[in-house]
Amino acid sequence: MPDFSKRVQKRANEFLETGEEFVFAVVAQPRGSISRGMNDGGIRTGLRGARDVKQALDDKRRDRGDELASRVPVANGYLTLTSERLLWLRQTKLGMATGEILAAYALDEVAGASWTKGSGLGNQELLLTFGDESEASVLIHNSQKPDRLRSELDRLLI
């Protein structure tokens, strides 16, 4: 499996602010993404079922309005940790990293992170809790080294 974190690090000058340092990045699947729907049983229910889930979650996010969790995109992307922020960067259809920021959170906006075994084979689920008590769930495959992300988050969110 390629080292996706290095792919993102190569683009760091496109999104890092002065004094900010790149820490780590993983490909993450938020609730509502087509691939997350496939991992959560979309193969059994068909792609249409995954799209229905995506539409329902899009509608729910619009209803949540100003909650911090509502900024998490409903598309796979690179969950990127820096010394100052947690970023969601766009991922191309070919899996390449772009420097385009889809969502950004100052680390003091992230109140906590908890982990569970995710649905599907070899996945871990990261539940991010934000300062306004809203939550967002993302699925990270074990090949993405979620344990390293966990240790870095623990270190920076103290």
Side-chain angles (χ1 to χ4, degrees):
M1 199 75 174
D3 187 341
F4 291 106
S5 190
K6 285 185 180 179
R7 288 183 181 182
V8 175
Q9 190 172 15
K10 288 178 184 177
R11 311 289 305 244
N13 64 333
E14 297 176 34
F15 60 83
L16 290 179
E17 296 178 351
T18 305
E20 187 175 28
E21 296 177 18
F22 175 84
V23 177
F24 194 64
V26 296
V27 174
Q29 302 170 358
R31 287 197 187 278
S33 70
I34 297 295
S35 55
R36 172 75 180 258
M38 298 297 275
N39 278 327
D40 286 346
I43 293 171
R44 291 187 298 276
T45 61
L47 189 56
R48 182 172 176 201
R51 286 191 179 131
D52 291 343
V53 169
K54 179 184 182 314
Q55 183 60 50
L57 287 165
D58 281 345
D59 293 344
K60 185 177 178 182
R61 281 209 173 96
R62 276 192 288 280
D63 293 341
R64 291 189 347 200
D66 293 336
E67 287 184 1
L68 290 170
S70 68
R71 286 193 247 154
V72 174
V74 185
N76 287 359
Y78 286 94
L79 185 62
T80 305
L81 183 61
T82 74
S83 58
E84 306 293 325
R85 300 179 291 167
L86 186 63
L87 307 172
W88 196 276
L89 301 178
R90 181 176 301 282
Q91 178 186 30
T92 68
K93 291 183 183 193
L94 296 175
M96 301 307 291
T98 71
E100 182 181 353
I101 297 172
L102 299 178
Y105 300 95
L107 290 180
D108 62 1
E109 291 179 304
V110 182
S114 60
W115 296 81
T116 60
K117 182 182 181 320
S119 60
L121 230 48
N123 296 315
Q124 291 188 40
E125 189 163 2
L126 167 61
L127 181 66
L128 294 167
T129 305
F130 298 99
D132 63 358
E133 298 182 3
S134 63
E135 296 178 330
S137 165
V138 297
L139 201 65
I140 301 169
H141 193 273
N142 285 336
S143 65
Q144 297 294 304
K145 303 175 188 168
D147 292 335
R148 172 147 180 230
L149 179 64
R150 176 184 305 176
S151 66
E152 295 291 355
L153 277 169
D154 289 346
R155 181 177 65 84
L156 291 170
L157 293 180
I158 292 176

